[in-house]
């Protein structure tokens, strides 16, 4: 069996009165992550895990933040494009395990919808994707609500 593991990490700054999109879900919050696309830190970490597993470089290589095509775009579109790149090389996703690290808001009620959005984009079942969350115990830039971080690992298999 030909299998590979991949790892992804992402961080975004938070800004007051900015939309907060996480896992393709718009969260109710007074501040949100910002960046060139919709700054979906969870989806970006998953993109990098998948690209890394297939040795296809990283998200910044494929989707430059200087490229107008990706400005304000839903990161689920970028994820679909990553899956297409893997598919071209004969890789399919086994499972994904992700961790979001943020102080506020609590995201447990959003996780089912995030799993649905991501599973749909990757063409996997919701059982193949795990999304976990933790705070940073009020420490550092995450603890002060200045930023949000996500980590993801994935397994891919040769089709
Ligand atoms: Zn990002």
């Amino acid at each position: 069996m030909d299998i590979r593991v991949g790892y992804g990490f992402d961080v975004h700054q938070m800004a007051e009165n900015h939309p907060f999109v996480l896992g393709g879900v718009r969260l109710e919050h007074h501040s949100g992550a910002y960046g060139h696309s919709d700054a979906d830190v969870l989806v970006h970490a998953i993109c990098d895990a998948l690209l890394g597993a297939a040795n296809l470089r990283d998200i910044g290589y494929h989707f430059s933040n200087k490229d107008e095509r990706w400005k304000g775009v839903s990161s689920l579109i970028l994820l679909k494009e990553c899956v297409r790149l893997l598919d071209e090389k004969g890789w399919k996703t086994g499972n994904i395990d992700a961790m979001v690290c943020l102080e506020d808001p609590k995201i447990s009620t959003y996780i089912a919808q995030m799993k649905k959005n991501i599973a749909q984009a990757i063409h996997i079942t919701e059982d193949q994707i795990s999304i976990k969350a933790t705070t940073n115990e009020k420490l550092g830039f995450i603890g002060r609500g200045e930023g949000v971080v996500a980590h993801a690992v994935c397994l891919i298999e040769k089709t």
Side-chain angles (χ1 to χ4, degrees):
M1 190 164 54
D2 197 354
I3 58 171
R4 301 265 184 96
V5 65
Y7 167 75
F9 165 85
D10 195 30
V11 57
H12 279 272
Q13 293 183 53
M14 298 278 283
E16 280 299 320
N17 303 312
H18 196 279
F20 195 175
V21 179
L22 195 64
V25 179
R26 173 83 183 266
L27 309 187
E28 294 280 345
H29 199 48
H30 61 82
S31 62
Y34 71 94
H36 187 65
S37 64
D38 64 359
D40 192 326
V41 73
L42 171 60
V43 171
H44 292 178
I46 291 170
C47 286
D48 259 345
L50 290 168
L51 291 172
N55 202 359
L56 287 168
R57 304 195 58 162
D58 58 40
I59 191 170
Y61 174 80
H62 293 284
F63 312 105
S64 164
N65 61 11
K66 288 171 185 69
D67 189 334
E68 284 299 309
R69 266 186 306 165
W70 313 121
K71 197 175 178 196
V73 78
S74 165
S75 294
L76 292 171
I77 305 260
L78 309 186
L79 179 57
K80 283 180 188 166
E81 179 61 16
C82 291
V83 170
R84 193 189 63 74
L85 291 166
L86 264 73
D87 188 57
E88 272 181 359
K89 298 274 179 190
W91 294 107
K92 68 173 181 140
T93 307
N95 77 301
I96 291 166
D97 185 18
M99 172 71 92
V100 181
C101 193
L102 83 173
E103 213 62 33
D104 282 310
K106 294 278 170 272
I107 64 165
S108 59
T109 56
Y110 298 108
I111 284 180
Q113 187 61 49
M114 291 179 190
K115 287 171 73 170
K116 203 173 210 169
N117 293 346
I118 293 164
Q120 266 174 14
I122 304 181
H123 307 297
I124 56 174
T125 66
E126 287 153 53
D127 183 52
Q128 288 168 279
I129 167 148
S130 148
I131 300 171
K132 312 189 299 296
T134 183
T135 71
N136 214 41
E137 293 288 331
K138 303 211 183 320
L139 294 167
F141 71 89
I142 298 167
R144 290 189 297 272
E146 294 165 9
V148 54
V149 157
H151 302 262
V153 292
C154 71
L155 202 69
I156 59 170
E157 307 163 27
K158 209 80 191 197
T159 52

